[in-house]
């Protein structure tokens, strides 16, 4: 799991969360209505149960500032996640955070890799937040339901994307060409000018991964995608997220992923066989 507690927070169990005194959740103003953390967790679980095809398989929680800040991470699986886990060793997660003292809003993140830290770093493919005001208990469940529905659609697309990456061969010459494009995506599409995945200082490392890393011996787009994203791990969290999205954009273009999507304005995108 990717719950990092290194700025004063301590691990907590569900019982610890449920045992926090009600006095911790006192209103700080006429419109301020902090939700007890256990209610927040259970609201997410109820949304999971309503959707029906998602199961929570693990949980990890933390508290800091005498219980005024809460951080959590849930591992989940669905009928659509088996392929991601078996073929690509990827799993979906739900990140949580909340505060009783208006330090930050109640937040939920959904991703194949959520990052929740007590230094307030919080990221995922899909994120939502809601201030602790009087209508939070009415609004939050709907926001979570919508995001979970999108998450299950994304799982199917992610597996289809990586299947296509795995089928697309990459020669050494093409790998060198892709590295050049990774320095400035404007070389592929002028609308992406100035967007990059790696800096020039990382070129040699990406090619070294491609030539030598035993995890990516297969000469395909999925291996090269991993060579790129391995080097983004040295970036700050927000920058890493941006670089990973850019790597996906580049490999989508290379493999023609967007051309194999059937997009109906009234329905979700699907992979064309």
């Amino acid at each position: 799991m990717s719950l990092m507690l290194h700025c004063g927070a301590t691990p907590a169990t569900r019982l610890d969360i449920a045992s926090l005194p009600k006095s911790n959740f006192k209103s700080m103003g006429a419109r301020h209505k902090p939700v007890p953390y256990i209610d927040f967790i259970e609201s997410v679980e109820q949304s999971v149960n309503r959707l029906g095809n998602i199961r929570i398989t693990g949980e990890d929680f933390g508290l800091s500032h005498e219980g005024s800040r809460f951080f959590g991470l849930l591992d989940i699986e669905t009928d659509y996640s088996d392929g991601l886990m078996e073929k690509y060793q990827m799993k979906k997660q739900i990140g949580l955070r909340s505060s009783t003292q208006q330090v930050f809003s109640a937040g939920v993140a959904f991703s194949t890799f959520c990052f929740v830290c007590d230094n307030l770093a919080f990221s995922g493919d899909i994120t939502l937040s809601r201030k602790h005001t009087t209508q939070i208990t009415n609004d939050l469940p709907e926001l979570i339901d919508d995001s979970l529905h999108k998450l299950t659609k994304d799982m199917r697309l992610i597996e289809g994307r990586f299947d296509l990456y795995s089928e697309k061969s990459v020669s050494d010459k093409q790998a060198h060409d892709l590295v050049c494009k990774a320095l400035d995506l404007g070389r592929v599409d002028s609308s992406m000018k100035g967007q990059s995945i790696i800096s020039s200082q990382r070129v040699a490392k990406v090619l070294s991964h491609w030539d030598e890393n035993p995890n990516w011996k297969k000469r395909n787009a999925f291996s090269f995608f991993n060579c790129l994203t391995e080097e983004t791990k040295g970036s700050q969290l927000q920058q890493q997220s941006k670089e990973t999205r850019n790597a996906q954009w580049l490999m989508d273009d290379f493999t023609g992923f967007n051309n194999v999507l059937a997009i109906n304005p009234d329905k979700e995108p699907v992979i064309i066989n």
Side-chain angles (χ1 to χ4, degrees), residues 4 18 58 65 73 90 120 141 144 194 200 216-217 221 230 234 246:
M4 184 175 291
H65 294 73
L73 201 66
M90 298 179 70
L120 307 191
I144 296 171
S200 57
W216 306 310
K217 287 182 178 180
E230 182 68 18
N246 284 345

Side-chain angles (χ1 to χ4, degrees), residues 4 9 36 56 67 104 110 122 156 164 178 209-210 233 240:
M4 184 175 291
I56 295 173
F104 46 80
F110 309 85
F122 188 70
R156 284 170 280 183
L164 186 62
L178 285 167
H209 289 311
W210 177 252
K233 293 177 182 178
Q240 179 186 352

Side-chain angles (χ1 to χ4, degrees), residues 23-249:
S23 58
N24 280 34
F25 302 94
K26 285 184 177 179
S27 171
M28 297 179 67
R31 299 189 69 247
H32 181 235
K33 186 181 179 181
V35 176
Y37 305 142
I38 191 65
D39 293 349
F40 183 31
I41 295 168
E42 289 176 352
S43 180
V44 174
E45 290 176 331
Q46 288 164 8
S47 290
V48 166
N49 292 334
R50 279 194 295 272
L51 198 57
N53 60 355
I54 297 181
R55 299 168 295 281
I56 295 173
T57 59
E59 61 183 33
D60 204 0
F61 304 122
L63 294 168
S64 72
H65 294 73
E66 299 181 340
S68 67
R69 300 182 187 182
F70 160 75
F71 309 91
L73 201 66
L74 305 175
D75 278 339
I76 61 172
E77 62 180 25
T78 81
D79 297 337
Y80 307 113
S81 63
D82 290 346
L84 279 175
M85 191 64 196
E86 291 173 9
K87 290 186 284 187
Y88 305 114
Q89 292 73 58
M90 298 179 70
K91 60 186 175 183
K92 283 290 188 179
Q93 297 176 319
I94 301 175
L96 308 170
R97 74 174 184 180
S98 189
S99 168
T100 63
Q101 297 182 344
Q102 298 179 305
V103 178
F104 46 80
S105 300
V108 187
F110 309 85
S111 184
T112 50
F113 176 81
C114 286
F115 187 80
V116 182
C117 183
D118 61 340
N119 70 0
L120 307 191
F122 188 70
S123 73
D125 295 333
I126 307 167
T127 59
L128 65 89
S129 63
R130 178 63 168 79
K131 290 183 178 180
H132 293 278
T133 53
T134 52
Q135 295 300 314
I136 185 171
T137 53
N138 294 328
D139 296 344
L140 200 57
E142 183 177 352
L143 291 171
I144 296 171
D145 283 355
D146 289 345
S147 296
L148 282 173
H149 181 65
K150 187 176 187 301
L151 183 73
T152 59
K153 293 192 294 183
D154 284 353
M155 282 187 180
R156 284 170 280 183
L157 288 179
I158 290 170
E159 183 178 354
R161 168 180 280 117
F162 290 162
D163 284 347
L164 186 62
Y165 286 9
S166 297
E167 294 167 3
K168 179 71 172 180
S169 62
V170 177
S171 66
D172 288 342
K173 182 178 183 301
Q174 288 173 316
H176 282 251
D177 184 54
L178 285 167
V179 166
C180 292
K181 291 176 179 177
L183 295 169
D184 183 357
L185 298 182
R187 293 169 176 168
V188 181
D189 187 319
S190 59
S191 67
M192 296 292 286
K193 186 174 179 59
Q195 296 290 321
S196 64
I197 304 166
I198 56 171
S199 64
S200 57
Q201 289 84 357
R202 293 181 178 178
V203 168
K205 290 184 178 180
V206 172
L207 292 176
S208 177
H209 289 311
W210 177 252
D211 292 334
E212 302 171 10
N213 195 310
N215 295 317
W216 306 310
K217 287 182 178 180
K218 294 182 179 179
R219 306 288 82 179
N220 59 34
F222 184 69
S223 291
F224 189 80
F225 174 75
N226 279 284
C227 292
L228 287 174
T229 56
E230 182 68 18
E231 278 310 303
T232 67
K233 293 177 182 178
S235 301
Q236 294 292 322
L237 185 65
Q238 288 185 331
Q239 182 64 19
Q240 179 186 352
S241 178
K242 181 179 179 181
E243 289 169 348
T244 299
R245 289 195 301 272
N246 284 345
Q248 182 176 292
W249 182 91

